[in-house]
Amino acid sequence: MAAEQKAQIGVTGLAVMGANLARNFARHGYTVALHNRSVGKTDALLAAHGSEGNFIRTETLQELVDSLETPRRILVMVKAGAPVDAVIEQLVPLLEKDDIIIDGGNSYFQDTRRRERELAAQGIDFVGVGVSGGEEGALLGPSIMPGGPRKSYDALGPLLEDIAAKAEDGKPCSAWIGTDGAGHFVKMVHNGIEYADMQVIGEAHELLRAVAGLEPGQQAEVFEQWNTTELASYLIEITAHVLAQVDARTGAPLVDVIVDAAGQKGTGRWTVQEALELGSPVTAIAESVFARALSSAEPAMRLEAQQVLPAGIGGTTEDVVGDPEFVEDVRKALYASKLVSYAQGLDMLTMAGAEYGWELDLATIASLWREGCIIRAQLLEVIMEAYQGDAAPANLLFAPQFVAAIEDALPSWRRVVARAVERGIPAPVFASTLNYYDSLRRPRLNAALTQGLRDYFGAHTYRRTDDAEGVYHTLWSGDRSEVVA
């Protein structure tokens, strides 16, 4: 290694995501210092891809630090949790004031907030960066959601914007999100929306088969056509690919060979847990997390249920095999449910901003998701436009263009949910998103009775519709007169 050669960024942790991000930086003209606990991975990357750009091989963290320009920028790509803390603990004694440690993994945002506070006290910037797009995105251009100190983006931002995906207007899908854990929080909610998106696509697949009689190969053609409509998105596109795939061993559709047990890595659960803390009703995401849990947690219980639990579906409407009107109903219901899942996720971001002091710009966040990430979709261009300017809606569903879209989809949406219930076909996201929509628009909810019951057994008080300021309690165990609380 030439003594005068310095790298603009270092990467420690060279599993697939770390390796591909390092290659992405190198392809964009940056000199990249490479480090991995096992030097063999470093050498394997250099042997396979060393010709793609300028790399510096290092064997120790001290060598990594010594190889970098100042302020040093070190991207940590190790498993979330304790491994990140372990790397930070080893790095900190080697660094100087204003050096930057970047966590590009799927870390829990509260861990990111803690790490930023601890490192700031030592004069070191810590940046939690949400990265979406999987292995391919990491190499070819991901969606990047960096948080951390605003000043750190001056040194780091240009590099991230270079390697990020570019939207159709040429703008990079990377921008500073907010302080401390904001970047990882936004990535967490992105993943929650991704959960809901995949679940409702699965529900559409099941309805198209069970009710309309469309086999996976036929559905692949349907999803391919849907990808030319307002549903156009990465997930709709790859759904067509998966449904078209034939298993080489059996000749059956691959989707019929895959065990119906969906895994999860934790970001969906985190989203729901944090939504509960914030009081944010992300019902689509929650139902998606629970659907995955039900699919995989109790296979023996599911098998027994098939044998002992009655379906109770007699006297329902007949199937509509091949009926294009039902297929169109499912398409419109899918679009409406997607809108609600985005609306819930964005509303959760608004609530989190108020809770944690982040000035989250929803138009900017939507713009970062237009390319490179898993939930990239044509819809995001419209969402971005809805939140630009001073007239941003209090809820995405209130934007005029989406009010019109929901109005058009509503009859189809109701028919699809009704048909699923009639046929005993689980459709938790179709149903929960419709329930959310109806709950928003109802002039009164049954919460009045709930509050009355709470006052009865726990003296939790209530407010009256004819008195905006007063708080009241009924003496339920006495003469049942009303008193001011």
Side-chain angles (χ1 to χ4, degrees):
M1 171 174 83
E4 69 276 8
Q5 186 181 20
K6 293 288 186 178
Q8 287 81 51
I9 191 163
V11 180
T12 179
L14 299 176
V16 176
M17 285 293 290
N20 281 3
L21 286 170
R23 292 170 60 197
N24 194 347
F25 281 117
R27 289 178 172 191
H28 282 82
Y30 296 104
T31 298
V32 184
L34 303 174
H35 173 267
N36 196 77
R37 186 175 59 177
S38 166
V39 180
K41 279 194 174 180
T42 306
D43 291 337
L45 189 156
L46 288 170
H49 306 291
S51 62
E52 293 181 351
N54 295 321
F55 296 101
I56 298 176
R57 178 185 181 276
T58 72
E59 294 190 3
T60 68
L61 286 176
Q62 183 68 66
E63 288 183 6
L64 177 69
V65 169
D66 291 343
S67 71
L68 294 169
E69 295 177 352
T70 56
R72 298 174 181 87
R73 293 165 288 216
I74 300 177
L75 176 61
V76 178
M77 295 298 298
V78 300
K79 188 177 180 181
V84 176
D85 287 319
V87 172
I88 292 171
E89 185 178 355
Q90 296 171 63
L91 276 174
V92 167
L94 311 178
L95 300 178
E96 299 175 346
K97 186 175 182 295
D98 295 328
D99 286 347
I100 305 169
I101 297 176
I102 309 136
D103 176 11
N106 272 334
S107 287
Y108 181 48
F109 82 100
Q110 292 287 19
D111 287 340
T112 304
R113 300 184 78 212
R114 168 181 57 81
R115 290 164 183 151
E116 183 180 343
R117 286 194 305 270
E118 293 171 352
L119 291 176
Q122 302 177 67
I124 297 170
D125 288 346
F126 184 78
V127 177
V129 176
V131 179
S132 180
E135 298 172 11
E136 181 178 295
L139 180 63
L140 303 179
S143 170
I144 305 177
M145 295 152 265
R150 180 64 182 87
K151 68 182 179 67
S152 67
Y153 200 75
D154 295 335
L156 179 62
L159 282 73
L160 298 181
E161 291 176 13
D162 273 354
I163 71 162
K166 305 300 185 294
E168 286 189 7
D169 58 10
K171 293 182 179 179
C173 294
S174 177
W176 182 69
I177 297 294
T179 56
D180 54 71
H184 275 143
F185 190 97
V186 169
K187 173 61 185 344
M188 177 187 75
V189 173
H190 163 284
N191 284 20
I193 294 171
E194 178 186 313
Y195 271 55
D197 212 344
M198 284 192 282
Q199 173 63 27
V200 79
I201 287 172
E203 293 171 20
H205 154 66
E206 189 168 8
L207 284 163
L208 289 176
R209 193 173 202 179
V211 178
L214 298 181
E215 292 303 312
Q218 296 169 299
Q219 288 190 36
E221 297 176 5
V222 170
F223 276 92
E224 187 175 356
Q225 192 278 322
W226 285 358
N227 201 43
T228 66
T229 71
E230 67 269 31
L231 280 174
S233 65
Y234 174 70
L235 283 172
I236 293 292
E237 176 187 347
I238 66 172
T239 297
H241 296 169
V242 172
L243 291 173
Q245 185 69 17
V246 174
D247 177 51
R249 189 183 307 178
T250 64
L254 179 64
V255 73
D256 288 347
V257 177
I258 297 172
V259 174
D260 62 334
Q264 50 185 314
K265 291 186 175 180
T267 48
R269 289 196 302 270
W270 290 347
T271 307
V272 176
Q273 289 164 356
E274 183 59 25
L276 290 171
E277 292 294 328
L278 292 169
S280 180
V282 291
T283 58
I285 299 171
E287 290 291 357
S288 302
V289 171
F290 295 144
R292 290 196 189 191
L294 181 61
S295 75
S296 58
E298 299 283 357
M301 184 184 296
R302 286 180 57 204
L303 184 61
E304 184 177 356
Q306 294 166 39
Q307 299 166 351
V308 303
L309 295 182
I313 58 174
T316 61
T317 55
E318 295 180 359
D319 290 347
V320 286
V321 176
D323 184 353
E325 291 185 6
F326 180 75
V327 173
E328 179 64 3
D329 277 349
V330 173
R331 186 188 72 82
K332 289 184 174 182
L334 178 55
Y335 184 66
S337 291
K338 281 168 66 74
L339 281 179
V340 170
S341 66
Y342 276 97
Q344 291 178 348
L346 292 168
D347 189 51
M348 181 176 173
L349 292 180
T350 299
M351 297 179 75
E355 176 71 17
Y356 298 113
W358 301 326
E359 295 184 5
L360 300 181
D361 186 321
L362 298 185
T364 296
I365 291 169
S367 76
L368 303 187
W369 294 345
R370 290 181 295 168
E371 290 293 340
C373 69
I374 303 303
I375 65 171
R376 60 186 184 265
Q378 179 179 297
L379 169 64
L380 283 156
E381 294 282 354
V382 191
I383 292 175
M384 184 179 72
E385 293 171 5
Y387 282 108
Q388 287 175 335
D390 298 328
N395 184 294
L396 178 66
L397 301 181
F398 303 167
Q401 56 268 55
F402 294 130
V403 171
I406 292 284
E407 183 178 16
D408 176 65
L410 200 53
S412 294
W413 198 4
R414 296 195 188 283
R415 283 194 293 268
V416 166
V417 171
R419 182 58 63 94
V421 172
E422 289 174 345
R423 286 294 315 276
I425 300 168
V429 173
F430 275 135
S432 70
T433 51
L434 181 57
N435 286 334
Y436 174 84
Y437 173 84
D438 281 333
S439 294
L440 281 180
R441 53 167 287 280
R442 289 283 290 180
R444 276 182 67 80
L445 299 174
N446 58 33
L449 178 56
T450 299
Q451 195 61 21
L453 294 171
R454 294 182 74 242
D455 188 60
Y456 189 105
F457 64 70
H460 291 295
T461 73
Y462 53 86
R463 291 177 292 114
R464 294 177 57 92
T465 59
D466 55 5
D467 181 356
E469 302 297 330
V471 179
Y472 296 88
H473 168 59
T474 291
L475 300 173
W476 297 104
S477 60
D479 63 3
R480 299 202 174 181
S481 61
E482 184 178 71
V483 297
V484 177

